[in-house]
Amino acid sequence: MSATSQAYEPLTTETLPARLGSIGAIAQRLGGAPADWSAREVGDGNLNLVFIVEGPRDTIIVKQALPYVRLVGDSWPLPLKRAFFEYHALIRQARRDPGSVPEVYHFDEDQALIAMQFFTPHVILRKYLMEGRRHQTLAQALGLFCARTAFRGSDLHMDTAKRKADVALFAGNVELCDITETLVFTDPYFDAEMNHHTSPQLDGIVASLRADVDLKVEAQHLKAAFANNAETLLHGDLHTGSVMVTDDETKIIDPEFALYGPMGFDTGMLLANFFMAYYAQPGHAEKPGARTDYQEWILDVIAEIWEVFVSEFSRLWRSERNGILYRRELYEDQNQPLAAEQALGHRLDAIWRDMLGFCGVEMHRRTLGLAHIAEYDTIKDDDMRASCEARGLEFGRQIVVNRARMGQMGQVLDLARLIARETLS
Ligand code: SR1
Ligand code: MG
């Protein structure tokens, strides 16, 4: 039984102070008595309850899993244990990239509840990008987070015993892996029950994507990589709704989909969400053409995230490669540092190719599947929305199918620009 000595029960704004009042870590942080605390529910994600709880001394976040998918309702049950995986991912991410994620104040496994740091005046990055706001250090922070968590959570850095134990621990996050396997890699490519898209405008392109043999073969290669290649501990759901920013800070939240998977996955998902923000800009422009410069800024951010990723991953490869793989005995210790550089180049090429593929399928599923994105959904004019979405779909298809032949970020960005300018039939 948990510290609250109760069987699992979802919190409400009314019950929260009394139910959490006896937990020392929470009570001390909030200050005063539970009767002095106020709570509001602000969860706008697809799965959980999220409360902002304010006390006389401090304000915290209390996140609690629900036993079902909030977006769909209780017809889709979902285990509470996802809070356990989120907690374990958060404490690992805090070690691997200090300061990037909320500090955990209290975890209650029975209540599927995490009390953690409240970021204010931060806003969700997705909203920030829709408003056309710029940020100086965003790419640096995101590139570092992706590289540090990818490298330090992998067998390039971890010893055998810790690594095996951790892979076994996160292997239990079965249902959330299943959501990604199904919603990202399968559903967009056939007429799945929960799919929806802007219709009739996108009907033609949707039919052609679902008939596209090359695309469907590549999508299943990517699914195989996701399911089989336990290279590192991933965030698992790193989109722009999982990032909070002020004009000079960047924080990463919500790693409940954490799993061991391929190194290019988190960066691919993240860049997909920037590319969709890029294609959505005409739908948010104050007047035609008003967001053209801003679109270029988004492409600059994409390029810088990848540049920072490569540079930090390479730095860690040279300085912290103490794990199971690519042992120094074989390279540096034999006075062959160039051999280690050769191996690094091969690993980065593989991450790059995977990253492009995951980026493309994420762009498809956020347009055709169950869970869409606000950048597109808030464009009221159906024709305008369809025009933005169709470009994202086309770009996604190109990078999935041609990723083995796309060697440079410049080439990818030129393709994005070309498709943005194209007259679509
Ligand atoms: C049923 S959950 C749908 C989506 O919401 C989450 O944020 C994940 O992205 C998941 O795929
Ligand atoms: Mg989430």
Side-chain angles (χ1 to χ4, degrees):
M1 199 60 67
S2 68
T4 51
S5 298
Q6 283 181 342
Y8 170 82
E9 199 185 322
L11 294 162
T12 66
T13 48
E14 288 77 33
T15 62
L16 188 146
R19 288 201 36 215
L20 303 189
S22 61
I23 299 168
I26 294 180
Q28 277 157 28
R29 190 156 286 274
L30 289 173
D36 305 324
W37 305 348
S38 66
R40 58 202 160 92
E41 210 277 314
V42 295
D44 61 354
N46 296 331
L47 301 180
N48 307 295
L49 294 170
V50 181
F51 298 91
I52 296 176
V53 190
E54 215 178 323
R57 186 176 302 140
D58 204 355
T59 301
I60 65 169
I61 291 289
V62 172
K63 178 171 177 180
Q64 188 181 34
L66 286 165
Y68 53 85
V69 175
R70 186 174 184 169
L71 172 70
V72 176
D74 54 13
S75 61
W76 187 345
L78 198 62
L80 298 171
K81 64 183 177 186
R82 62 188 188 270
F84 170 90
F85 297 110
E86 175 160 357
Y87 164 69
H88 279 281
L90 279 173
I91 57 177
R92 283 158 181 72
Q93 290 167 347
R95 277 201 307 268
R96 290 168 188 163
D97 188 24
S100 62
V101 299
E103 185 187 341
V104 174
Y105 302 138
H106 176 74
F107 169 56
D108 183 332
E109 190 173 348
D110 293 334
Q111 297 299 325
L113 173 158
I114 306 172
M116 62 186 127
Q117 189 176 2
F118 171 54
F119 293 126
T120 182
H122 301 64
V123 297
I124 292 289
L125 175 58
R126 199 180 282 299
K127 186 164 173 272
Y128 201 84
L129 297 175
M130 283 192 282
E131 288 170 1
R133 294 170 67 181
R134 294 172 199 238
H135 188 297
Q136 295 308 312
T137 56
L138 179 64
Q140 174 78 7
L142 292 174
L144 289 179
F145 177 84
C146 289
R148 289 174 179 170
T149 54
F151 188 92
R152 292 178 170 149
S154 79
D155 44 18
L156 294 169
H157 184 68
M158 290 169 79
D159 69 39
T160 301
K162 278 209 188 95
R163 156 93 178 158
K164 265 63 176 177
D166 222 46
V167 172
L169 183 109
F170 281 94
N173 205 4
V174 179
E175 292 76 7
L176 275 75
C177 286
D178 182 41
I179 287 179
T180 304
E181 287 156 9
T182 305
L183 294 191
V184 176
F185 297 101
T186 306
D187 284 5
Y189 304 108
F190 80 107
D191 188 17
E193 201 186 331
M194 291 181 296
N195 285 349
H196 57 103
H197 64 260
T198 303
S199 180
Q201 289 87 343
L202 294 183
D203 290 355
I205 182 165
V206 172
S208 78
L209 291 177
R210 289 186 182 148
D212 189 326
V213 173
D214 293 337
L215 175 63
K216 287 195 291 185
V217 168
E218 290 302 326
Q220 295 319 288
H221 290 331
L222 289 160
K223 184 174 182 177
F226 178 80
N228 298 335
N229 299 354
E231 293 175 345
T232 193
L233 180 65
L234 298 171
H235 176 287
D237 196 25
L238 190 54
H239 51 77
T240 46
S242 300
V243 179
M244 297 189 75
V245 291
T246 60
D247 288 343
D248 54 10
E249 268 199 354
T250 302
K251 302 288 179 184
I252 320 289
I253 60 170
D254 282 358
E256 64 210 311
F257 281 79
L259 75 150
Y260 272 84
M263 287 200 178
F265 184 76
D266 280 345
T267 315
M269 297 295 251
L270 183 64
L271 296 196
N273 281 267
F274 277 100
F275 277 117
M276 289 185 283
Y278 169 80
Y279 282 117
Q281 289 303 317
H284 299 281
E286 298 68 18
K287 54 182 189 202
R291 294 286 181 103
T292 313
D293 288 352
Y294 189 66
Q295 284 184 297
E296 279 302 309
W297 178 80
I298 294 178
L299 296 187
D300 288 347
V301 171
I302 291 172
E304 195 186 339
I305 290 174
W306 179 250
E307 208 178 287
V308 172
F309 178 93
V310 169
S311 149
E312 180 68 358
F313 192 93
S314 304
R315 187 186 72 79
L316 296 172
W317 177 278
R318 291 167 196 138
S319 58
E320 293 187 16
R321 208 176 73 250
N322 314 316
I324 309 166
L325 297 180
Y326 303 93
R327 304 276 312 165
R328 284 173 189 280
E329 294 89 318
L330 302 178
Y331 307 120
E332 288 89 343
D333 294 356
Q334 294 184 33
N335 203 19
Q336 287 187 310
L338 288 182
E341 292 298 303
Q342 183 174 327
L344 167 63
H346 293 174
R347 289 306 298 247
L348 284 170
D349 284 349
I351 296 172
W352 163 257
R353 275 193 304 278
D354 280 0
M355 186 277 287
L356 285 182
F358 295 130
C359 177
V361 294
E362 166 75 354
M363 293 178 77
H364 289 162
R365 75 93 169 213
R366 294 288 185 190
T367 315
L368 309 179
L370 165 71
H372 286 211
I373 54 164
E375 282 93 328
Y376 288 157
D377 282 358
T378 54
I379 301 173
K380 292 205 173 60
D381 182 276
D382 290 352
D383 291 334
M384 169 58 86
R385 185 171 64 257
S387 158
C388 299
E389 291 174 327
R391 290 168 209 282
L393 291 174
E394 174 60 18
F395 175 75
R397 191 239 170 230
Q398 293 283 342
I399 58 173
V400 168
V401 171
N402 295 316
R403 67 190 193 283
R405 290 164 291 282
M406 304 190 88
Q408 301 292 328
M409 184 57 93
Q411 205 183 343
V412 176
L413 301 186
D414 282 346
L415 175 69
R417 291 185 187 102
L418 194 67
I419 293 174
R421 287 195 299 266
E422 209 176 34
T423 308
L424 298 177
S425 53

